[in-house]
Amino acid sequence: MSRKIKLLAICLFITTTFMHAQTFLSSNHAMKRVKTADKYILLPVEEEEGYAHIRVIKDNQVVKEFNCKLAINKTDYNVPLNVSEYGGDVLLDIQFLGDKRSIGLINNFACWKDIKATNVFDSKNREKFRSIYHHTPVYGWMNDPNGMFYKDGVWHLYYQYNPYGSQWENMTWAHSTSTDLIHWKNHGEVIQPDALGTIFSGSSVVDKENTAGFGKDAVVAFYTSAGAAQTQSIAYSTDNGETFKKYVNNPILTSDVPDFRDPNVFWNEEVKQWNLILAAGQQMNIYSSKNLKDWKYESSFGEGYGNHGGVWECPDLLKMGDKWVLICNINPGGPFGGSATQYFVGSFDGHKFTCESKPEVTKWMDYGKDHYATVSFSNAPDGRIVVLPWMSNWQYANQVPTQQFRSANGLPRDLGLYSYNGEDYVSVKPSPEVFAAFEKKPSGRLQSAAYIEVTNIKSNASIVLSNDKGERVTMVYDGKNATFSMDRTESGVTDFHSDFKAKTVAPTNGVIKSMQIFIDRCSIEAFDTEGKVAMTNLVFPSKPYDKIIVKGCKVKIYELKDQK
């Protein structure tokens, strides 16, 4: 090959693979032209810095905009921006917002040299605290589970997602599916922000009778459009939830209440209509509809009832036997600080929910620190009520010691009802699919992913999980005082937030005879076998717990089945 041809080939490679130039317009404003044949450009993130607002411009039109903590001093990790859908030729208009923590000239920021092009985003897990058998995002931030439904043997999970960093921002719905509630397949972003705002939490239903006119068995998603105000919108899918088209007449529901969000919709067979419940400040509003588009206000519930230590969020209204349960997630106000899930048992006639307990009674679904935004799968099989929580706490969720991703979902749980001392309570049990993920024969070895069966529990029993670093978690059943506790104050890495160290205590509502404890790399979930106690706590041991000391009980340890 001649020298001239070689030079020409090199020049072509440079211009077609990645050509970029930035122009500095002020101390906090720059533009960057990107031309590449690759699918992605990698945006370098530095979490200690403030946000930059990025507008992606194609043919003089803004085609996408989002916030990203572009690196100033150093790059913590990268996130991908897909430019292939715009032909690989875009202009990035970048404004650094607010006061930066570091002082320096914009042209010296680390991001300019670290922005790169690639055809494949490396999402290989490098986090030692990533859960093994709990759902996590491949990368980026996750919080509330959204729009969950079951159809044709597949469990669909949508979730609050930030694709441009591992902290809360740019709320979008991402999508995962599973056939067993344990192994999840990632499908990426499915409902993205638009002119009405970012996409907050909501629900989905299978419209079996085509009441909305989108088609028989269409999946209809309800979500909060979070713009200048919070309004309710819908999108529909005719391909089993893989893709959605937004309804042209959004929003479908508005209010002058600032915190007006998280619509949860269900078909009420008793009154042959759809009901919708959503959070409005510190109460829940209930609506009815025949067609999923036009909604009539029916009533509100909440004033004077239960815990009001924070904003009410993410409701669900579920029929259990001849009673109804209203789930109300609250932040803050949890029993041990931060976010948690309370609930109310009562009756519902399609118009009004009536709580059967006294207003001052507060019932918690889980007594750990890390159980929030719990809602159910719509259309679940065999009459089951299957719920999934977000496994974190708003006190420290943005600071937990991971970077490639943040947050996991707790284990799926099946709900029921039981009575104790004249009150009805929700029973919480791990879904049967969870047990199927573990070996049938005990191994006796404690590993970073394990199921511990606890039997023959006496009135003063304890279980201590530890490692040779002196890190430990202590669980105690106190039969005399009818409590179960979990102490994680010496559990490992705890210094990332002052509110993380905690000892959580749950009432047992009677005698505990056996328990089920599930350990993953960064979590411990404990359940009374009868469903009377549930406790979910994050832990970050510098080395996996491999020792167990038991007193006043017997244990069997089961290993996770081969995940390959």
Side-chain angles (χ1 to χ4, degrees):
M1 183 183 292
S2 69
R3 182 173 181 272
K4 184 177 180 180
I5 294 175
K6 284 182 179 180
L7 288 174
L8 179 60
I10 292 171
C11 290
L12 285 172
F13 177 80
I14 291 172
T15 56
T16 58
T17 301
F18 189 44
M19 185 179 76
H20 62 88
Q22 57 265 354
T23 301
F24 302 113
L25 304 175
S26 72
S27 62
N28 66 351
H29 190 191
M31 287 184 174
K32 187 177 186 70
R33 172 69 64 183
V34 173
K35 291 185 179 181
T36 179
D38 290 332
K39 184 175 182 179
Y40 304 109
I41 60 171
L42 299 182
L43 301 177
V45 176
E46 183 178 2
E47 287 195 344
E48 290 301 314
E49 291 300 328
Y51 280 105
H53 184 69
I54 302 175
R55 298 193 308 156
V56 182
I57 299 174
K58 177 70 174 180
D59 297 333
N60 301 318
Q61 300 295 320
V62 177
V63 292
K64 181 186 286 288
E65 55 185 318
F66 56 92
N67 293 328
C68 181
K69 292 188 171 184
L70 288 181
I72 305 298
N73 301 291
K74 63 180 178 64
T75 298
D76 294 329
Y77 54 86
N78 295 294
V79 292
L81 171 63
N82 187 345
V83 293
S84 65
E85 56 188 302
Y86 313 119
D89 182 358
V90 295
L91 178 67
L92 303 182
D93 182 63
I94 303 169
Q95 285 190 291
F96 293 85
L97 307 175
D99 296 327
K100 297 180 288 296
R101 292 187 178 88
S102 57
I103 304 299
L105 297 175
I106 188 173
N107 55 304
N108 292 327
F109 289 176
C111 56
W112 308 127
K113 63 180 177 61
D114 287 348
I115 292 178
K116 294 179 174 64
T118 179
N119 261 322
V120 180
F121 175 61
D122 181 10
S123 58
K124 182 180 179 181
N125 177 35
R126 294 180 176 82
E127 299 277 0
K128 72 175 185 177
F129 292 129
R130 185 186 285 275
S131 300
I132 300 173
Y133 60 96
H134 291 71
H135 173 262
T136 60
V138 175
Y139 67 93
W141 163 272
M142 178 184 77
N143 56 294
D144 304 357
N146 294 157
M148 303 185 300
F149 70 94
Y150 175 89
K151 189 174 186 289
D152 300 329
V154 179
W155 301 89
H156 292 259
L157 163 64
Y158 303 88
Y159 54 91
Q160 292 282 275
Y161 182 55
N162 177 15
Y164 302 113
S166 297
Q167 295 175 321
W168 186 95
E169 188 66 28
N170 307 307
M171 285 295 94
T172 300
W173 276 25
H175 183 205
S176 294
T177 57
S178 175
T179 56
D180 63 4
L181 289 171
I182 295 294
H183 302 90
W184 294 91
K185 179 181 179 181
N186 171 56
H187 298 273
E189 303 163 57
V190 69
I191 303 181
Q192 300 188 31
D194 56 28
L196 292 176
T198 53
I199 312 301
F200 276 18
S201 295
S203 61
S204 295
V205 296
V206 179
D207 189 7
K208 299 177 182 179
E209 302 301 326
N210 192 24
T211 61
F214 299 135
K216 179 176 170 55
D217 291 327
V219 177
V220 184
F222 296 77
Y223 59 89
T224 297
S225 294
Q230 294 183 355
T231 59
Q232 315 314 312
S233 296
I234 60 176
Y236 61 94
S237 172
T238 56
D239 58 5
N240 288 333
E242 292 299 319
T243 61
F244 282 86
K245 183 176 181 180
K246 292 173 181 173
Y247 180 48
V248 295
N249 291 323
N250 283 334
I252 59 164
L253 206 54
T254 62
S255 172
D256 59 0
V257 177
D259 295 312
F260 182 70
R261 55 177 176 262
D262 311 338
N264 195 298
V265 177
F266 60 95
W267 174 255
N268 189 335
E269 184 62 27
E270 294 180 353
V271 293
K272 305 295 182 184
Q273 67 180 4
W274 296 100
N275 280 124
L276 181 154
I277 182 171
L278 57 72
Q282 286 201 334
Q283 67 181 21
M284 300 303 184
N285 287 1
I286 298 171
Y287 302 80
S288 64
S289 175
K290 296 292 186 181
N291 62 8
L292 293 173
K293 300 173 182 175
D294 304 305
W295 293 91
K296 175 188 175 184
Y297 170 78
E298 295 286 356
S299 63
S300 297
F301 169 80
E303 185 175 357
Y305 279 82
N307 186 293
H308 286 266
V311 176
W312 283 22
E313 295 184 315
C314 301
D316 206 341
L317 191 51
L318 305 163
K319 192 173 192 302
M320 297 188 189
D322 60 350
K323 301 202 173 183
W324 288 78
V325 173
L326 192 157
I327 295 176
C328 169
N329 292 278
I330 182 172
N331 175 52
F336 303 99
S339 42
T341 304
Q342 66 177 327
Y343 65 88
F344 305 89
V345 181
S347 59
F348 178 59
D349 61 3
H351 307 282
K352 181 181 179 181
F353 175 81
T354 303
C355 182
E356 67 181 24
S357 299
K358 294 180 179 179
E360 63 269 21
V361 174
T362 299
K363 298 175 181 179
W364 300 106
M365 188 170 289
D366 188 293
Y367 278 83
K369 286 272 287 187
D370 300 299
H371 177 281
Y372 191 59
T374 309
V375 287
S376 65
F377 283 91
S378 177
N379 201 46
D382 305 320
R384 294 170 60 189
I385 297 176
V386 184
V387 300
L388 202 65
W390 174 46
M391 193 163 61
S392 197
N393 190 305
W394 278 117
Q395 288 181 326
Y396 43 74
N398 282 288
Q399 290 82 37
V400 296
T402 61
Q403 282 196 331
Q404 182 190 38
F405 80 103
R406 278 195 176 87
S407 297
N409 288 110
L411 289 175
R413 299 128 195 260
D414 277 37
L415 303 186
L417 282 176
Y418 72 96
S419 297
Y420 177 73
N421 284 351
E423 285 279 353
D424 292 317
Y425 294 90
V426 168
S427 64
V428 182
K429 299 180 180 181
S431 297
E433 290 86 348
V434 175
F435 299 97
F438 291 87
E439 299 289 354
K440 292 183 178 180
K441 294 183 178 180
S443 69
R445 295 188 302 132
L446 183 60
Q447 300 185 68
S448 56
Y451 157 49
I452 302 175
E453 182 182 59
V454 188
T455 58
N456 297 98
I457 298 178
K458 296 181 171 56
S459 62
N460 190 17
S462 65
I463 299 173
V464 180
L465 310 177
S466 64
N467 58 28
D468 59 13
K469 300 292 184 180
E471 299 164 350
R472 64 180 61 84
V473 174
T474 302
M475 291 169 274
V476 175
Y477 168 58
D478 183 344
K480 181 179 180 181
N481 293 305
T483 62
F484 173 81
S485 65
M486 188 185 303
D487 187 340
R488 71 175 184 195
T489 55
E490 299 179 2
S491 57
V493 181
T494 61
D495 59 358
F496 56 88
H497 199 280
S498 59
D499 288 319
F500 186 76
K501 286 187 176 182
K503 178 181 178 181
T504 56
V505 183
T508 60
N509 289 350
V511 175
I512 287 183
K513 299 177 181 179
S514 59
M515 295 193 73
Q516 299 150 341
I517 300 172
F518 296 88
I519 301 169
D520 209 337
R521 284 176 174 161
C522 69
S523 62
I524 300 175
E525 294 160 283
F527 302 87
D528 164 39
T529 305
E530 296 179 3
K532 298 182 297 183
V533 173
M535 186 175 289
T536 304
N537 282 315
L538 293 176
V539 290
F540 298 98
S542 59
K543 181 181 178 182
Y545 307 124
D546 56 5
K547 300 176 183 177
I548 181 168
I549 299 175
V550 300
K551 174 185 175 183
C553 60
K554 294 181 179 180
V555 299
K556 292 181 180 179
I557 303 172
Y558 298 84
E559 294 182 8
L560 194 66
K561 290 179 180 177
D562 189 353
Q563 296 295 291
K564 294 182 180 179

